[in-house]
Amino acid sequence: MSGDCDPLTSDREAAIDAGATARTATAGAHWHMLYASVRGAAHRRNGLPNQDAVRISRTGPGLVLALADGHGSATSFRSQQGARLAVAVALQVAARWPELPTASHHKRRAEDDWPKELVRGWQAVVDARLGRRPFTAAELHPLEPSARQRLERNPRLAWGSTLLSVILTPSSILYLQLGDGDLLVVDDNGQVNRPLPADPRLLGNETTSLCAPEAWREARVYCQTLVAAPPALILAATDGYANAFRDDAGFRQVASDLWVMLRDEGQATVQAQLAGWLNETSAQGSGDDISVGILWREAT
Amino acid sequence: MPKRPGSELASRPLHFIWIADCSGSMSVDGKIQSLNTAIREALPHMRAVADENPNAEVLVRAVAFASSAHWHVSQPLRVADFQWTDLQTEGLTAMGEALNLVAQQLRMPPMTDRALPPVLVLISDGQPTDDFAAGLDALMREPWGKKAVRVAIAIGEDADHEPLQRFIGHPELQPLQANNPEALVRHIKWVSTAVLKSASSPASQAAGLPAGLNVPIPTPTAGPSSAADVW
């Protein structure tokens, strides 16, 4: 792949890097979006960057939300870039999403093709970047011999990242999760649910990853039709958010609280506070980077 | 101004468990006294490491094993509140039973999925006299047993490394050998500080790829010559 195909041109990369500021825009007739990303309290103490990335954008069929968490381990020393590439590739893939007549067609395409397009797209740009800028002695020097061997076997490990993506089409909502993180939906009664069940393999600090050779097999996909009762709010977050709460109920309450605030006090109020809340949550909770993307629907 | 969304925040629990051999042979040449001293002297260093990371709540307890195994400190205590009571020796080496006890406490519940990987430190001067394999199997059946950072310290030349290596379960990490009180102090301090620090703020690791350590473990500090070896 040539450098021209790299999804992170310099200006786009800068835009995505501005994750610490809450952003907002209106898309479609009734849906709104906002997102924010903050550097974790532990990352600040240890001089580490924010290794998350998040973006929401208008796209071919409607809206796309993409959110990624770079692994940050010593072996994944380019994972900040890996997370940004994951988000950029997810936006590209969504932009190419065809217009399809029914939710069933979207579901079939999402299950058959979406994970492979995302993984292969991310792996292609990572391979191209490695070709243009091989690992340096300074990057490899801190690694143990066994870590270097792992990297020789799979250089993509250096960019290792998770990916969560949501595509909103006129007929359906498509959810994809590869690795840790959380997807929550709130219905019109304020009830919070997970479109995808928890993955018991994602315990502690281990996560499935885009860098695995056939990572698309690890992706989980769900298609929700918009015909019946569309959600009032969709929230995607990196795992630093849920890990900051004493229990899962406390984290799920984030989604219902945000829905009430957005409905009653408006997006501008929430937008102005969001990054501050995330900083407080990281400092008093997990210490990890926290990124969140929110799509919400005005009551009709 | 609206309040922060969500409910109560909390740092992530990090369970640190000493699993100490108290068999009769530990009474020889002052080994048990040296172990008691080493753990007691390591506590201030452990507290300092915990204080550096307010996003991890370090909770300490201890299992002792001899002819049977029991919780020497049964309740997980914040490291600031943890005090060391001397271990006493008697009988055989029920190491398998000790791992069984730990396995029961690593179930979910009482563990939660938001915990940090636990740190398990197995210390022994001999070889198991019970069904070690059953105890290890029970531990490794628990998701948190598999994800735990498992470190082993062999006291004296008679310590059997084979079960300790099976407990560690990873070729990149070998049991630490302590043939004198100074080495034991050094190893205990290392697990109480360097290992604890790594475990309390672990970066994510890609699962399912060629095996690496769940939590990167720093290289142990090198010891002095063996001229003073007494065990």
Side-chain angles (χ1 to χ4, degrees):
Chain A
M1 177 177 284
S2 74
D4 292 337
C5 296
D6 193 310
L8 292 186
T9 58
S10 58
D11 58 336
R12 280 184 178 173
E13 190 158 11
I16 293 169
D17 200 25
T21 304
R23 292 164 180 271
T24 176
T26 303
H30 302 292
W31 288 90
H32 299 270
M33 55 189 182
L34 67 160
Y35 63 87
S37 179
V38 301
R39 185 180 174 200
H43 284 223
R44 290 178 191 274
R45 283 197 303 274
N46 297 322
L48 297 171
N50 181 352
Q51 290 151 334
D52 286 357
V54 57
R55 203 172 179 197
I56 306 178
S57 176
R58 297 167 196 268
T59 186
L63 285 172
V64 57
L65 181 161
L67 176 145
D69 183 353
H71 299 336
S73 61
T75 318
S76 298
F77 48 80
R78 294 185 181 180
S79 63
Q80 179 186 24
Q81 194 180 71
R84 293 175 183 178
L85 287 168
V87 164
V89 167
L91 298 188
Q92 280 188 340
V93 168
R96 295 196 300 266
W97 199 274
E99 289 188 13
L100 296 170
T102 67
S104 297
H105 289 82
H106 283 294
K107 179 175 185 290
R108 193 174 312 131
R109 189 180 190 300
E111 291 175 345
D112 292 349
D113 302 329
W114 195 17
K116 282 185 182 173
E117 288 182 22
L118 291 170
V119 170
R120 286 176 172 158
W122 182 86
Q123 293 186 349
V125 294
V126 161
D127 292 349
R129 287 201 165 210
L130 178 64
R132 289 200 304 274
R133 195 165 76 85
F135 300 141
T136 65
E139 287 174 320
L140 297 174
H141 177 72
L143 302 181
E144 297 284 337
S146 57
R148 291 186 201 182
Q149 288 168 8
R150 285 197 294 278
L151 211 50
E152 284 171 10
R153 286 194 292 268
N154 181 3
R156 294 167 184 153
L157 191 54
W159 282 268
S161 176
T162 66
L163 176 64
L164 278 70
S165 188
V166 179
I167 298 178
L168 183 64
T169 79
S171 63
S172 56
I173 305 174
L174 310 168
Y175 304 86
L176 178 141
Q177 179 162 3
L178 203 172
D180 56 27
D182 293 275
L183 288 164
L184 300 175
V185 295
V186 182
D187 67 20
D188 282 329
N189 298 316
Q191 293 297 310
V192 181
N193 289 295
R194 292 179 185 274
L196 290 165
D199 185 342
R201 296 172 301 172
L202 307 180
L203 191 65
N205 57 327
E206 280 193 31
T207 176
T208 48
S209 171
L210 282 165
C211 69
E214 294 187 337
W216 57 83
R217 298 185 190 281
E218 310 291 347
R220 297 177 299 142
V221 173
Y222 176 68
C223 177
Q224 179 180 25
T225 177
L226 282 174
V227 173
L233 180 142
I234 302 165
L235 179 147
T238 50
D239 67 335
Y241 209 174
N243 283 334
F245 290 88
R246 185 167 297 284
D247 53 39
D248 188 56
F251 170 63
R252 290 160 69 103
Q253 190 182 320
V254 168
S256 51
D257 284 351
L258 281 169
W259 175 65
V260 170
M261 290 178 199
L262 286 163
R263 184 191 63 190
D264 295 350
E265 305 189 40
Q267 177 146 316
T269 302
V270 173
Q271 175 192 329
Q273 304 292 327
L274 187 56
W277 287 330
L278 298 186
N279 276 320
E280 178 186 343
T281 301
S282 178
Q284 296 180 28
S286 64
D288 200 1
D289 299 333
I290 300 179
S291 299
V292 61
I294 299 159
L295 298 168
W296 68 285
R297 180 175 54 85
E298 282 184 20
T300 53
Chain B
M1 180 186 299
K3 76 170 188 70
R4 172 186 56 74
S7 185
E8 184 185 4
L9 301 173
S11 52
R12 298 176 70 183
L14 193 169
H15 292 274
F16 188 107
I17 303 178
W18 299 107
I19 309 168
D21 187 342
C22 297
S23 60
S25 58
M26 284 290 287
S27 65
V28 177
D29 292 330
K31 282 184 273 193
I32 198 70
Q33 290 90 338
S34 295
L35 178 59
N36 284 323
T37 302
I39 293 178
R40 189 173 287 112
E41 289 183 354
L43 286 177
H45 303 290
M46 205 171 184
R47 292 184 188 116
V49 169
D51 288 346
E52 287 173 9
N53 185 357
N55 300 113
E57 182 182 34
V58 179
L59 299 164
V60 189
R61 57 192 140 162
V63 169
F65 59 95
S67 292
S68 63
H70 66 276
W71 282 98
H72 181 60
V73 179
S74 60
Q75 294 304 309
L77 296 175
R78 292 183 181 191
V79 65
D81 302 324
F82 186 83
Q83 301 293 329
W84 187 250
T85 305
D86 281 354
L87 297 162
Q88 307 298 325
T89 60
E90 59 89 13
L92 302 176
T93 310
M95 193 184 289
E97 189 183 342
L99 299 187
N100 248 316
L101 283 181
V102 174
Q104 290 167 24
Q105 289 302 308
L106 293 187
R107 287 181 188 151
M108 292 192 289
M111 291 285 286
T112 68
D113 59 2
R114 64 182 295 275
L116 291 161
V119 178
L120 311 180
V121 185
L122 177 60
I123 306 160
S124 178
D125 73 334
Q127 52 187 282
T129 54
D130 66 348
D131 192 348
F132 171 78
L136 185 60
D137 284 348
L139 181 67
M140 299 307 282
R141 274 198 302 273
E142 298 303 326
W144 277 124
K146 277 188 287 212
K147 305 280 186 187
V149 180
R150 299 182 302 277
V151 179
I153 299 175
I155 300 180
E157 291 182 343
D158 292 338
D160 186 352
H161 278 223
E162 194 265 338
L164 300 182
Q165 189 67 61
R166 285 171 63 193
F167 168 77
I168 293 169
H170 203 285
E172 287 182 28
L173 196 60
Q174 277 83 46
L176 302 168
Q177 183 67 40
N179 289 343
N180 56 58
E182 293 75 23
L184 184 58
V185 165
R186 190 170 61 251
H187 295 330
I188 293 287
K189 184 179 177 186
W190 179 76
V191 295
S192 305
T193 54
V195 174
L196 180 62
K197 187 171 184 176
S198 290
S200 66
S201 55
S204 293
Q205 305 279 336
L209 295 176
L213 288 165
N214 181 27
V215 172
I217 302 296
T219 305
T221 49
S225 73
S226 60
D229 286 355
V230 292
W231 298 328

